Amino acid sequence: MIDPILLFFVGLAAFLSYKLFSVLGTRGGAEQKDAERLRTHLSQTEKEEAEAPLTMPEEPVEKPKAPAPAWAEKVIEHYPGFDHARFVDGAKSAYEMIVQGFARGDLDRIRPFVDPSVMRTFEIAVKGRENAGQTMDVTFVGIEKAEVVSAGKRSDHIEIVVEYRSDQIRVMRDGDGNIVDGDPNRIDLVRDRWTYSRPAGSTDPNWVLSATENAAN
């Protein structure tokens, strides 16, 4: 017994083929000649491919990995298998996500990625904005740089310090929507220095934001 679902798809394919043929059939003579030349070219190509000697595909050549920078070697010493390029990419995403989460006051979303001591300062700042009836808008134009400035083991944790340079539009408004700080038409260069950490010897691949500061000019 033929599956009725299979019959449906067969009928649908036939209908679409007919509609496609109908549309192609309305083209002019010049296009039909082009189609004929295309068929001739394809036939000739198939013939050449059939007569060509059979060759095995070449093995893909693996590109050698770039050597780890000095700061990454200090991490690998305590965290074998550490991928420095992947960490930097993740640090860029984390920076934008955490800044925007803080600006919106959406702290629950970023809580898993922030150390409790840093989260406490975020909560105080957000609560202060709410009490003042203020809102904060942050628009990322782009991250110019995310550069590791130091890394290593401190006490029982591995720490990596990343310095960011980013272009942002930052505006603070009061309860009536009036601007109290910033300019929606101005792009500011923002420099931050954040520290990420993880317990040495942990099997958890995640890093958390453990300290923040403004980078020196």
Side-chain angles (χ1 to χ4, degrees):
M1 181 177 179
I2 300 177
D3 190 341
I5 296 179
L6 177 61
L7 286 176
F8 169 77
F9 283 109
V10 170
L12 179 61
F15 173 74
L16 293 177
S17 298
Y18 168 76
K19 295 296 292 183
L20 179 61
F21 177 79
S22 299
V23 172
L24 295 177
T26 60
R27 299 190 176 189
E31 291 173 329
Q32 291 174 359
K33 292 180 180 178
D34 290 339
E36 183 63 31
R37 285 197 295 270
L38 177 60
R39 284 193 292 271
T40 302
H41 172 73
L42 291 176
S43 298
Q44 182 63 27
T45 302
E46 291 175 354
K47 180 180 179 182
E48 293 173 355
E49 289 178 351
E51 295 175 351
L54 180 63
T55 58
M56 295 298 294
E58 296 182 359
E59 291 291 333
V61 179
E62 293 186 2
K63 295 182 180 179
K65 293 184 178 180
W71 68 264
E73 293 290 352
K74 296 179 181 179
V75 177
I76 294 172
E77 182 180 349
H78 306 285
Y79 180 19
F82 173 71
D83 188 328
H84 65 279
R86 186 175 181 180
F87 172 85
V88 173
D89 287 340
K92 291 179 181 178
S93 299
Y95 177 68
E96 185 171 347
M97 179 188 66
I98 292 173
V99 168
Q100 291 183 332
F102 168 75
R104 292 192 298 263
D106 185 8
L107 299 184
D108 287 340
R109 180 168 178 260
I110 64 176
R111 195 177 300 276
F113 312 103
V114 180
D115 184 83
S117 61
V118 177
M119 179 56 66
R120 180 58 182 160
T121 63
F122 286 0
E123 290 171 342
I124 293 172
V126 170
K127 189 65 175 178
R129 288 202 314 253
E130 292 175 349
N131 291 339
Q134 296 177 340
T135 58
M136 183 179 184
D137 294 325
V138 174
T139 300
F140 268 84
V141 179
I143 297 178
E144 293 183 4
K145 182 180 74 171
E147 180 181 20
V148 173
V149 295
S150 66
K153 188 172 181 289
R154 181 178 180 181
S155 185
D156 58 349
H157 280 67
I158 304 172
E159 294 185 346
I160 301 178
V161 181
V162 182
E163 184 171 310
Y164 298 95
R165 290 170 57 96
S166 64
D167 295 318
Q168 302 177 25
I169 300 173
R170 311 174 77 168
V171 181
M172 186 83 74
R173 291 183 170 86
D174 61 19
D176 296 324
N178 300 314
I179 296 175
V180 296
D181 190 25
D183 185 344
N185 299 311
R186 185 186 71 224
I187 299 175
D188 296 326
L189 174 62
V190 180
R191 297 184 62 184
D192 286 314
R193 184 171 290 180
W194 285 12
T195 302
Y196 297 92
S197 65
R198 68 187 303 276
S202 173
T203 57
D204 186 350
N206 294 320
W207 297 74
V208 298
L209 174 64
S210 58
T212 65
E213 62 177 316
N214 293 327
N217 294 323

PDB file of all heavy atoms in Angstrom, residues 37-53:
ATOM      1  N   ARG A  37      22.191  27.014 -26.152  1.00  0.00           N
ATOM      2  CA  ARG A  37      23.646  27.051 -26.030  1.00  0.00           C
ATOM      3  C   ARG A  37      24.085  26.466 -24.701  1.00  0.00           C
ATOM      4  O   ARG A  37      25.107  25.795 -24.594  1.00  0.00           O
ATOM      5  CB  ARG A  37      24.144  28.488 -26.179  1.00  0.00           C
ATOM      6  CG  ARG A  37      24.112  29.007 -27.620  1.00  0.00           C
ATOM      7  CD  ARG A  37      24.976  30.239 -27.771  1.00  0.00           C
ATOM      8  NE  ARG A  37      24.454  31.354 -26.997  1.00  0.00           N
ATOM      9  CZ  ARG A  37      23.576  32.249 -27.493  1.00  0.00           C
ATOM     10  NH1 ARG A  37      23.156  32.135 -28.746  1.00  0.00           N
ATOM     11  NH2 ARG A  37      23.144  33.244 -26.754  1.00  0.00           N
ATOM     12  N   LEU A  38      23.304  26.745 -23.653  1.00  0.00           N
ATOM     13  CA  LEU A  38      23.638  26.222 -22.330  1.00  0.00           C
ATOM     14  C   LEU A  38      23.560  24.693 -22.332  1.00  0.00           C
ATOM     15  O   LEU A  38      24.440  24.016 -21.799  1.00  0.00           O
ATOM     16  CB  LEU A  38      22.689  26.803 -21.277  1.00  0.00           C
ATOM     17  CG  LEU A  38      22.877  26.280 -19.846  1.00  0.00           C
ATOM     18  CD1 LEU A  38      24.286  26.581 -19.356  1.00  0.00           C
ATOM     19  CD2 LEU A  38      21.831  26.884 -18.931  1.00  0.00           C
ATOM     20  N   ARG A  39      22.506  24.128 -22.974  1.00  0.00           N
ATOM     21  CA  ARG A  39      22.381  22.677 -23.026  1.00  0.00           C
ATOM     22  C   ARG A  39      23.545  22.066 -23.795  1.00  0.00           C
ATOM     23  O   ARG A  39      24.076  21.023 -23.421  1.00  0.00           O
ATOM     24  CB  ARG A  39      21.043  22.292 -23.667  1.00  0.00           C
ATOM     25  CG  ARG A  39      19.847  22.461 -22.741  1.00  0.00           C
ATOM     26  CD  ARG A  39      18.619  21.765 -23.317  1.00  0.00           C
ATOM     27  NE  ARG A  39      18.140  22.422 -24.525  1.00  0.00           N
ATOM     28  CZ  ARG A  39      17.257  23.412 -24.535  1.00  0.00           C
ATOM     29  NH1 ARG A  39      16.755  23.855 -23.388  1.00  0.00           N
ATOM     30  NH2 ARG A  39      16.861  23.964 -25.657  1.00  0.00           N
ATOM     31  N   THR A  40      23.950  22.725 -24.904  1.00  0.00           N
ATOM     32  CA  THR A  40      25.086  22.230 -25.693  1.00  0.00           C
ATOM     33  C   THR A  40      26.362  22.248 -24.867  1.00  0.00           C
ATOM     34  O   THR A  40      27.157  21.305 -24.881  1.00  0.00           O
ATOM     35  CB  THR A  40      25.262  23.086 -26.951  1.00  0.00           C
ATOM     36  OG1 THR A  40      24.059  23.041 -27.718  1.00  0.00           O
ATOM     37  CG2 THR A  40      26.431  22.577 -27.790  1.00  0.00           C
ATOM     38  N   HIS A  41      26.540  23.355 -24.120  1.00  0.00           N
ATOM     39  CA  HIS A  41      27.729  23.491 -23.286  1.00  0.00           C
ATOM     40  C   HIS A  41      27.750  22.418 -22.197  1.00  0.00           C
ATOM     41  O   HIS A  41      28.787  21.800 -21.936  1.00  0.00           O
ATOM     42  CB  HIS A  41      27.758  24.885 -22.654  1.00  0.00           C
ATOM     43  CG  HIS A  41      28.840  25.037 -21.624  1.00  0.00           C
ATOM     44  ND1 HIS A  41      30.169  25.130 -21.949  1.00  0.00           N
ATOM     45  CD2 HIS A  41      28.760  25.108 -20.251  1.00  0.00           C
ATOM     46  CE1 HIS A  41      30.884  25.252 -20.839  1.00  0.00           C
ATOM     47  NE2 HIS A  41      30.050  25.249 -19.800  1.00  0.00           N
ATOM     48  N   LEU A  42      26.604  22.170 -21.587  1.00  0.00           N
ATOM     49  CA  LEU A  42      26.541  21.165 -20.532  1.00  0.00           C
ATOM     50  C   LEU A  42      26.820  19.780 -21.076  1.00  0.00           C
ATOM     51  O   LEU A  42      27.501  18.968 -20.443  1.00  0.00           O
ATOM     52  CB  LEU A  42      25.157  21.201 -19.859  1.00  0.00           C
ATOM     53  CG  LEU A  42      24.855  22.450 -19.019  1.00  0.00           C
ATOM     54  CD1 LEU A  42      23.437  22.393 -18.494  1.00  0.00           C
ATOM     55  CD2 LEU A  42      25.845  22.580 -17.870  1.00  0.00           C
ATOM     56  N   SER A  43      26.287  19.485 -22.298  1.00  0.00           N
ATOM     57  CA  SER A  43      26.529  18.186 -22.906  1.00  0.00           C
ATOM     58  C   SER A  43      28.020  17.995 -23.177  1.00  0.00           C
ATOM     59  O   SER A  43      28.582  16.920 -22.951  1.00  0.00           O
ATOM     60  CB  SER A  43      25.735  18.045 -24.209  1.00  0.00           C
ATOM     61  OG  SER A  43      24.345  18.136 -23.943  1.00  0.00           O
ATOM     62  N   GLN A  44      28.675  19.045 -23.695  1.00  0.00           N
ATOM     63  CA  GLN A  44      30.101  18.968 -23.979  1.00  0.00           C
ATOM     64  C   GLN A  44      30.897  18.795 -22.695  1.00  0.00           C
ATOM     65  O   GLN A  44      31.862  18.026 -22.637  1.00  0.00           O
ATOM     66  CB  GLN A  44      30.552  20.241 -24.710  1.00  0.00           C
ATOM     67  CG  GLN A  44      32.030  20.247 -25.097  1.00  0.00           C
ATOM     68  CD  GLN A  44      32.353  19.141 -26.090  1.00  0.00           C
ATOM     69  OE1 GLN A  44      31.487  18.719 -26.851  1.00  0.00           O
ATOM     70  NE2 GLN A  44      33.597  18.667 -26.078  1.00  0.00           N
ATOM     71  N   THR A  45      30.464  19.515 -21.634  1.00  0.00           N
ATOM     72  CA  THR A  45      31.160  19.406 -20.344  1.00  0.00           C
ATOM     73  C   THR A  45      31.041  18.005 -19.777  1.00  0.00           C
ATOM     74  O   THR A  45      32.003  17.435 -19.277  1.00  0.00           O
ATOM     75  CB  THR A  45      30.569  20.423 -19.340  1.00  0.00           C
ATOM     76  OG1 THR A  45      30.701  21.739 -19.877  1.00  0.00           O
ATOM     77  CG2 THR A  45      31.288  20.338 -17.999  1.00  0.00           C
ATOM     78  N   GLU A  46      29.828  17.409 -19.887  1.00  0.00           N
ATOM     79  CA  GLU A  46      29.633  16.057 -19.388  1.00  0.00           C
ATOM     80  C   GLU A  46      30.512  15.064 -20.151  1.00  0.00           C
ATOM     81  O   GLU A  46      31.058  14.125 -19.573  1.00  0.00           O
ATOM     82  CB  GLU A  46      28.163  15.665 -19.519  1.00  0.00           C
ATOM     83  CG  GLU A  46      27.250  16.441 -18.560  1.00  0.00           C
ATOM     84  CD  GLU A  46      25.782  16.133 -18.797  1.00  0.00           C
ATOM     85  OE1 GLU A  46      25.497  15.413 -19.774  1.00  0.00           O
ATOM     86  OE2 GLU A  46      24.943  16.601 -18.019  1.00  0.00           O
ATOM     87  N   LYS A  47      30.646  15.299 -21.466  1.00  0.00           N
ATOM     88  CA  LYS A  47      31.475  14.410 -22.278  1.00  0.00           C
ATOM     89  C   LYS A  47      32.933  14.503 -21.860  1.00  0.00           C
ATOM     90  O   LYS A  47      33.624  13.494 -21.707  1.00  0.00           O
ATOM     91  CB  LYS A  47      31.329  14.770 -23.754  1.00  0.00           C
ATOM     92  CG  LYS A  47      32.162  13.893 -24.676  1.00  0.00           C
ATOM     93  CD  LYS A  47      31.970  14.309 -26.123  1.00  0.00           C
ATOM     94  CE  LYS A  47      32.827  13.453 -27.040  1.00  0.00           C
ATOM     95  NZ  LYS A  47      32.694  13.856 -28.450  1.00  0.00           N
ATOM     96  N   GLU A  48      33.418  15.742 -21.636  1.00  0.00           N
ATOM     97  CA  GLU A  48      34.807  15.929 -21.235  1.00  0.00           C
ATOM     98  C   GLU A  48      35.058  15.310 -19.867  1.00  0.00           C
ATOM     99  O   GLU A  48      36.116  14.716 -19.627  1.00  0.00           O
ATOM    100  CB  GLU A  48      35.146  17.426 -21.208  1.00  0.00           C
ATOM    101  CG  GLU A  48      35.139  18.059 -22.592  1.00  0.00           C
ATOM    102  CD  GLU A  48      35.319  19.568 -22.512  1.00  0.00           C
ATOM    103  OE1 GLU A  48      35.341  20.108 -21.380  1.00  0.00           O
ATOM    104  OE2 GLU A  48      35.454  20.212 -23.571  1.00  0.00           O
ATOM    105  N   GLU A  49      34.084  15.469 -18.962  1.00  0.00           N
ATOM    106  CA  GLU A  49      34.259  14.905 -17.626  1.00  0.00           C
ATOM    107  C   GLU A  49      34.283  13.380 -17.683  1.00  0.00           C
ATOM    108  O   GLU A  49      35.018  12.726 -16.945  1.00  0.00           O
ATOM    109  CB  GLU A  49      33.133  15.383 -16.706  1.00  0.00           C
ATOM    110  CG  GLU A  49      33.233  16.860 -16.346  1.00  0.00           C
ATOM    111  CD  GLU A  49      32.074  17.305 -15.477  1.00  0.00           C
ATOM    112  OE1 GLU A  49      31.122  16.508 -15.316  1.00  0.00           O
ATOM    113  OE2 GLU A  49      32.118  18.439 -14.953  1.00  0.00           O
ATOM    114  N   ALA A  50      33.468  12.788 -18.604  1.00  0.00           N
ATOM    115  CA  ALA A  50      33.419  11.331 -18.719  1.00  0.00           C
ATOM    116  C   ALA A  50      34.729  10.788 -19.264  1.00  0.00           C
ATOM    117  O   ALA A  50      35.159   9.694 -18.906  1.00  0.00           O
ATOM    118  CB  ALA A  50      32.258  10.915 -19.607  1.00  0.00           C
ATOM    119  N   GLU A  51      35.387  11.553 -20.163  1.00  0.00           N
ATOM    120  CA  GLU A  51      36.627  11.111 -20.774  1.00  0.00           C
ATOM    121  C   GLU A  51      37.841  11.422 -19.932  1.00  0.00           C
ATOM    122  O   GLU A  51      38.929  10.932 -20.188  1.00  0.00           O
ATOM    123  CB  GLU A  51      36.777  11.768 -22.162  1.00  0.00           C
ATOM    124  CG  GLU A  51      35.704  11.325 -23.154  1.00  0.00           C
ATOM    125  CD  GLU A  51      35.801  12.081 -24.462  1.00  0.00           C
ATOM    126  OE1 GLU A  51      36.595  13.053 -24.518  1.00  0.00           O
ATOM    127  OE2 GLU A  51      35.094  11.713 -25.419  1.00  0.00           O
ATOM    128  N   ALA A  52      37.678  12.274 -18.930  1.00  0.00           N
ATOM    129  CA  ALA A  52      38.810  12.667 -18.095  1.00  0.00           C
ATOM    130  C   ALA A  52      39.250  11.499 -17.224  1.00  0.00           C
ATOM    131  O   ALA A  52      38.430  10.682 -16.799  1.00  0.00           O
ATOM    132  CB  ALA A  52      38.420  13.851 -17.211  1.00  0.00           C
ATOM    133  N   PRO A  53      40.553  11.382 -16.972  1.00  0.00           N
ATOM    134  CA  PRO A  53      41.033  10.277 -16.135  1.00  0.00           C
ATOM    135  C   PRO A  53      40.523  10.429 -14.704  1.00  0.00           C
ATOM    136  O   PRO A  53      40.352  11.537 -14.198  1.00  0.00           O
ATOM    137  CB  PRO A  53      42.566  10.424 -16.205  1.00  0.00           C
ATOM    138  CG  PRO A  53      42.788  11.869 -16.546  1.00  0.00           C
ATOM    139  CD  PRO A  53      41.640  12.247 -17.426  1.00  0.00           C
TER     140      PRO A  53
END
